[in-house]
Amino acid sequence: MTKKHSRPLRAVFVGFGNVAQRLAAMLTVERHLFPGLEKLQLVPVAIFTRQRGALVEPAGIDLAAALERFRASGAFPDAPMPVMQALQELDYDVLVELSTLNIADRGEPAVTHVRNALQRRRHAVTANKGPAAFAYRELSALARKKGVRFLFESAVMDGTPVFNLMQALAGCRVTGVSGILNTTTNFVISRLEMGETMDSAVKTAQRLGFAEADPSLDLDGWDAAAKTAILANVFLGADIDPLQVERRGIGDLTPEAVAKAAASGRRFKLICRAELENGKVRAKVAPEEIAADQFFAAVNGKGAALRLETDMMGPFWIVQENPGLNDTAAGVLQDLLTVAASR
Amino acid sequence: MTKKHSRPLRAVFVGFGNVAQRLAAMLTVERHLFPGLEKLQLVPVAIFTRQRGALVEPAGIDLAAALERFRASGAFPDAPMPVMQALQELDYDVLVELSTLNIADRGEPAVTHVRNALQRRRHAVTANKGPAAFAYRELSALARKKGVRFLFESAVMDGTPVFNLMQALAGCRVTGVSGILNTTTNFVISRLEMGETMDSAVKTAQRLGFAEADPSLDLDGWDAAAKTAILANVFLGADIDPLQVERRGIGDLTPEAVAKAAASGRRFKLICRAELENGKVRAKVAPEEIAADQFFAAVNGKGAALRLETDMMGPFWIVQENPGLNDTAAGVLQDLLTVAASR
């Protein structure tokens, strides 16, 4: 352990939406609340948004001032260069990819951003599910080859340890995973159980700020399929993408069907599954009826749960009670601390 | 990373009961089932039992043969030297302390065994709750000072990552823990709910092999208090022992009380809690009535659950479905792999 930590991590941010702004606040104005961040000194040299301009300051951006400015004016100036040029030319240590999942474009442009950072021997940290869902095998091999880190703790269950847990599971091999991993559908089903219509339940989730703008990403199971692909790729050695996950969303669920299940003591849940079957990985997302005394049934509203089967131990679970933006930002911060510690 | 791994870990085992025998089987005859153990080469130089003799072979014990011999004859020869002498004089790398918790003797002799190993710059791995419950602050400081590891993943929730999780939680500070951590009482309460008497339920647990021989360790909450003390010491920086945990067992629970709770949709659970109150740690074990839709209520039979509150994230849980001896052995193996990797 050298004293190199004292040199701050120079970061390129791609995306400055809710998660990035939360992260920026935790690293600046709220920093005193989190003593565990002491070892993380981070200075952005560029912050790109999709449609609201960019800041590029090779000497370092004042993150607190940038956050205040963006919140006040809703935009940065026009970008002085494209993201790709910045990733190729700027002097930085870590790419912080916080753009959102794009299924139609197969995880792009985030996959390309991460690939470019890794190729330049820069670490890549992302909360975007795209890179690990569409290109895990390629990008993790590239990171290993270049001696840098490709980290995405927030991509599944926010900052609750999922991928970082692998280290803790020394000696164990994961043989199967299942979970309730999409907050929006779990919340929507809970509202259907209260007699609300699908339409109204989705609007409530959007109003509370945790449904995607395009609700089909959640309702049709794409978000869940992306997470399932990541889990299959990381834990089961698969090389699949979200389009290869058998997928059925909750669009067909009605308050009536949900009420009928409840009458026989059961609850619908959108369950993700990935398991090894005769050496092959099978990955699936579909609504299932769960008996009321099963653990999945106890995951309410915005909760999430992941069940891990291993070769050595009986199944165990990781459960999130009621995650918010802080949880997602915390996962990115954990990854950044891992990068800082690995220098 | 050097090639030093190829030199096997030389181990002194203290205790050769159920967990140690399971561990020995997993490391030998069952080894091919667990590819994750590839990096763990371990050779005992001594195996001590409490009342059934010992093996001491400085050149290395054939663990598979020792296990077979012990299972066939029920004993080793008389010990050629006391444990303490072995810990002082033998050439070994790691103490594997698998004796059982002793509350009356304040965790002894396991605490002394661990202290002696650490003082000689030997690593100490233990599934015994005593050392971390009665002397965590002293022993962890000693290990740090001597540059060796003091590990006890199995002491709470077996091999399910609890303490190894701290690494994964980079940046987060734990601010409170609660849990169902004693399998026997959880099982006994489940049987009371089925109308069984306390006596009969305890006998069933003993017959199934997971209640302590002295049931008061479980029923009076001592095992739970030891685990709560460890969690408070490790996660909240406390320096307490099990006697300083407010403690009420389940001895007073009756099938009638349990049935009455069930009639109003509630379940009794023995809940462990440790939290920071005005900078002070408060630790407590007591039966609580839990509403049926709460997570704790979904932890059935032999299950266990731990809820962690942190400064950065919403609460999350680690849950064990149905742990057995393999799970406990897996925790010890994880610790041994950590030791092997740290050389």
Side-chain angles (χ1 to χ4, degrees):
Chain A
M1 294 294 143
T2 65
K3 277 283 179 189
K4 271 192 186 166
H5 290 318
S6 49
R7 192 169 73 85
L9 274 181
R10 298 165 62 84
V12 171
F13 278 73
V14 176
F16 205 62
N18 289 335
V19 173
Q21 290 178 43
R22 195 84 283 286
L23 186 74
M26 290 169 83
L27 281 171
T28 55
V29 286
E30 296 174 13
R31 192 178 182 101
H32 61 287
L33 299 175
F34 308 113
L37 294 182
E38 199 188 346
K39 285 181 185 160
L40 183 60
Q41 299 300 329
L42 182 137
V43 175
V45 293
I47 302 175
F48 287 89
T49 72
R50 195 162 43 137
Q51 296 177 316
R52 296 197 266 170
L55 287 182
V56 177
E57 295 176 20
I61 293 168
D62 178 336
L63 188 53
L67 176 63
E68 207 183 320
R69 174 179 178 177
F70 193 81
R71 282 178 171 168
S73 69
F76 290 133
D78 287 347
M81 62 173 80
V83 173
M84 285 302 297
Q85 187 184 344
L87 291 176
Q88 302 281 12
E89 295 178 5
L90 288 182
D91 175 22
Y92 67 104
D93 303 300
V94 59
L95 162 65
V96 184
E97 229 302 346
L98 302 174
S99 64
T100 52
L101 174 63
N102 185 325
I103 292 282
D105 293 339
R106 300 187 59 81
E108 295 293 0
V111 173
T112 299
H113 294 163
V114 168
R115 185 185 294 119
N116 269 271
L118 297 176
Q119 261 162 350
R120 273 191 77 198
R121 296 187 193 275
R122 265 58 180 183
H123 305 280
V125 166
T126 178
N128 185 321
K129 290 169 278 290
F134 283 96
Y136 173 73
R137 189 172 288 190
E138 176 212 334
L139 296 175
S140 60
L142 180 60
R144 254 195 317 278
K145 185 176 148 197
K146 298 291 187 177
V148 291
R149 308 298 298 259
F150 164 44
L151 301 171
F152 44 85
E153 183 56 64
S154 279
V156 179
M157 292 181 81
D158 312 298
T160 303
V162 173
F163 305 109
N164 289 333
L165 201 74
M166 286 188 82
Q167 268 184 295
L169 272 178
C172 277
R173 299 284 170 107
V174 176
T175 55
V177 298
S178 52
I180 296 174
L181 299 174
N182 179 266
T183 293
T184 305
T185 47
N186 204 49
F187 175 86
V188 165
I189 295 173
S190 295
R191 304 292 284 207
L192 295 182
E193 286 173 338
M194 299 173 197
E196 210 168 328
T197 64
M198 178 67 75
D199 225 41
S200 155
V202 171
K203 288 210 175 93
T204 306
Q206 285 172 326
R207 188 163 40 81
L208 294 175
F210 60 88
E212 306 278 346
D214 171 4
S216 70
L217 260 187
D218 293 317
L219 302 183
D220 294 348
W222 283 116
D223 173 82
K227 289 167 175 163
T228 307
I230 297 177
L231 292 168
N233 290 339
V234 175
F235 284 117
L236 302 176
D239 187 19
I240 61 172
D241 67 42
L243 288 81
Q244 292 164 286
V245 175
E246 294 173 48
R247 181 185 46 80
R248 197 151 54 84
I250 65 161
D252 294 340
L253 278 190
T254 59
E256 293 71 33
V258 165
K260 198 179 152 199
S264 59
R266 301 175 82 81
R267 304 188 73 179
F268 274 100
K269 295 287 175 187
L270 185 67
I271 305 290
C272 305
R273 294 187 183 277
E275 18 196 45
L276 284 168
E277 277 183 9
N278 308 317
K280 280 200 137 183
V281 174
R282 187 179 174 200
K284 190 181 163 183
V285 171
E288 296 183 18
E289 276 188 62
I290 307 289
D293 64 345
Q294 299 298 300
F295 225 82
F296 276 139
V299 179
N300 285 308
K302 285 172 63 190
L306 178 66
R307 180 179 187 265
L308 290 162
E309 293 170 59
T310 73
D311 57 354
M312 267 191 208
M313 297 193 289
F316 70 91
W317 298 66
I318 308 157
V319 180
Q320 262 183 315
E321 227 175 82
N322 187 25
L325 276 180
N326 262 29
D327 295 66
T328 314
V332 178
L333 289 166
Q334 285 169 32
D335 288 344
L336 288 168
L337 278 158
T338 302
V339 166
S342 75
R343 290 208 296 171
Chain B
M1 295 294 142
T2 66
K3 277 282 179 189
K4 272 192 188 166
H5 291 317
S6 50
R7 192 170 72 84
L9 274 182
R10 299 165 61 84
V12 171
F13 278 73
V14 176
F16 205 63
N18 289 335
V19 173
Q21 291 178 42
R22 196 81 282 287
L23 185 74
M26 291 169 84
L27 281 171
T28 56
V29 288
E30 296 175 12
R31 192 178 181 100
H32 61 287
L33 300 174
F34 307 113
L37 294 182
E38 201 187 345
K39 284 182 186 157
L40 182 60
Q41 299 301 329
L42 181 136
V43 174
V45 293
I47 302 175
F48 287 90
T49 73
R50 195 163 41 141
Q51 296 176 315
R52 297 197 265 170
L55 288 182
V56 177
E57 294 176 21
I61 293 168
D62 178 335
L63 187 55
L67 176 63
E68 209 184 320
R69 175 180 178 177
F70 192 81
R71 282 179 172 168
S73 69
F76 290 133
D78 286 346
M81 62 173 78
V83 174
M84 284 302 297
Q85 189 185 341
L87 293 175
Q88 302 282 9
E89 295 178 4
L90 289 181
D91 176 22
Y92 68 102
D93 304 302
V94 59
L95 162 66
V96 184
E97 230 301 347
L98 302 175
S99 64
T100 52
L101 174 62
N102 185 324
I103 292 282
D105 293 340
R106 299 189 59 83
E108 294 295 357
V111 173
T112 298
H113 294 163
V114 169
R115 185 185 294 120
N116 268 270
L118 298 176
Q119 262 162 351
R120 272 192 76 198
R121 294 186 195 276
R122 266 59 179 181
H123 305 279
V125 166
T126 180
N128 185 322
K129 289 169 279 288
F134 282 96
Y136 172 73
R137 189 172 289 188
E138 176 212 335
L139 296 174
S140 60
L142 179 59
R144 253 194 319 276
K145 185 176 148 198
K146 298 291 186 176
V148 291
R149 308 299 297 258
F150 164 46
L151 301 171
F152 44 85
E153 182 58 60
S154 279
V156 178
M157 293 182 80
D158 311 297
T160 303
V162 173
F163 305 110
N164 289 334
L165 201 75
M166 286 186 82
Q167 268 184 294
L169 272 177
C172 277
R173 299 284 169 106
V174 175
T175 54
V177 298
S178 52
I180 296 175
L181 299 174
N182 179 268
T183 294
T184 305
T185 47
N186 204 49
F187 175 85
V188 165
I189 295 173
S190 294
R191 305 291 284 206
L192 294 182
E193 287 173 339
M194 299 173 196
E196 211 169 327
T197 64
M198 178 68 73
D199 227 39
S200 155
V202 171
K203 286 207 176 94
T204 306
Q206 284 171 327
R207 186 162 43 78
L208 295 175
F210 60 85
E212 307 278 348
D214 171 6
S216 70
L217 259 187
D218 293 317
L219 302 183
D220 294 347
W222 282 116
D223 174 83
K227 287 166 176 165
T228 307
I230 297 176
L231 293 168
N233 290 339
V234 174
F235 284 117
L236 302 176
D239 187 20
I240 61 171
D241 67 43
L243 289 80
Q244 291 164 286
V245 175
E246 294 173 48
R247 179 184 48 79
R248 197 150 54 84
I250 66 160
D252 294 340
L253 278 190
T254 60
E256 293 71 34
V258 165
K260 198 179 151 198
S264 60
R266 301 174 83 81
R267 305 187 73 179
F268 274 100
K269 295 287 176 190
L270 185 67
I271 306 289
C272 306
R273 294 187 183 277
E275 12 192 53
L276 284 167
E277 277 182 10
N278 307 319
K280 281 200 138 183
V281 174
R282 185 175 176 201
K284 189 180 162 183
V285 171
E288 297 184 17
E289 275 189 64
I290 307 288
D293 65 346
Q294 300 297 301
F295 270 122
F296 276 137
V299 180
N300 285 308
K302 287 172 63 191
L306 178 65
R307 180 179 187 264
L308 290 161
E309 294 169 59
T310 73
D311 57 354
M312 266 189 209
M313 297 193 289
F316 69 93
W317 298 66
I318 308 156
V319 180
Q320 262 184 315
E321 229 175 81
N322 187 25
L325 276 179
N326 262 29
D327 295 66
T328 314
V332 178
L333 288 166
Q334 284 169 31
D335 288 345
L336 288 169
L337 278 158
T338 303
V339 166
S342 74
R343 290 207 297 171

